[in-house]
Amino acid sequence: MFYYVVHLALAFGWAIFLLTFIKTMQFKNIKESKIFGFLSFLFMLLVMMVGVKIMLSNHSIIKSGYWIHLKLSIDILLMVETLFLLNLLRVGKFISTKCGNIMYISTFFGFIFMIFLTMLRPF
């Protein structure tokens, strides 16, 4: 049960740092983008490590329904988004206002939907 609470707390941290990272990239703030990009990447790795630990310790989660596969698919998309933004930051590019707003809203709803899937396990 401890790992579930840690996983949820880390996921909330990742969500906050990723959303803030998107906004700093949108407003072209390089110093804050580096800080929030690093924190987002760190929390992403921690979420992934604890999630793998949970799945390896309880194999029934993988067979519990399609909800876990949809949740993991959204999770992978958000990880790709984090890595994409870090790559943009590495080459010195930023995102436009419109793109930033779209990424922010889709990321927010992605995290909300993952919480919904985890808590309710609808299918």
Side-chain angles (χ1 to χ4, degrees):
M1 186 65 169
F2 172 73
Y3 287 114
Y4 292 106
V5 174
V6 170
H7 184 71
L8 186 62
L10 289 171
F12 274 114
W14 179 33
I16 290 168
F17 290 131
L18 181 57
L19 290 171
T20 308
F21 181 38
I22 292 169
K23 282 298 178 186
T24 58
M25 287 291 288
Q26 183 180 4
F27 294 123
K28 299 169 180 50
N29 190 334
I30 193 159
K31 202 176 270 192
E32 288 182 6
S33 293
K34 286 181 181 179
I35 293 169
F36 287 113
F38 172 75
L39 289 172
S40 177
F41 183 72
L42 177 68
F43 272 73
M44 177 188 77
L45 290 178
L46 292 171
V47 166
M48 187 173 62
M49 288 172 24
V50 173
V52 168
K53 172 79 173 154
I54 290 170
M55 286 192 292
L56 290 176
S57 65
N58 188 0
H59 294 288
S60 65
I61 290 176
I62 297 171
K63 298 177 183 177
S64 64
Y66 292 115
W67 70 271
I68 189 71
H69 301 292
L70 183 57
K71 178 189 177 289
L72 290 173
S73 297
I74 296 169
D75 200 20
I76 290 169
L77 286 173
L78 292 173
M79 287 179 181
V80 168
E81 179 183 43
T82 302
L83 296 174
F84 171 74
L85 288 172
L86 284 171
N87 188 45
L88 279 180
L89 184 62
R90 183 184 62 82
V91 297
K93 294 185 178 180
F94 294 95
I95 55 176
S96 67
T97 303
K98 186 175 184 177
C99 179
N101 288 338
I102 292 169
M103 289 176 82
Y104 188 88
I105 292 169
S106 62
T107 301
F108 175 78
F109 283 117
F111 277 109
I112 295 296
F113 193 56
M114 283 195 305
I115 292 169
F116 169 77
L117 289 171
T118 303
M119 297 301 171
L120 298 180
R121 299 179 181 189
F123 44 87

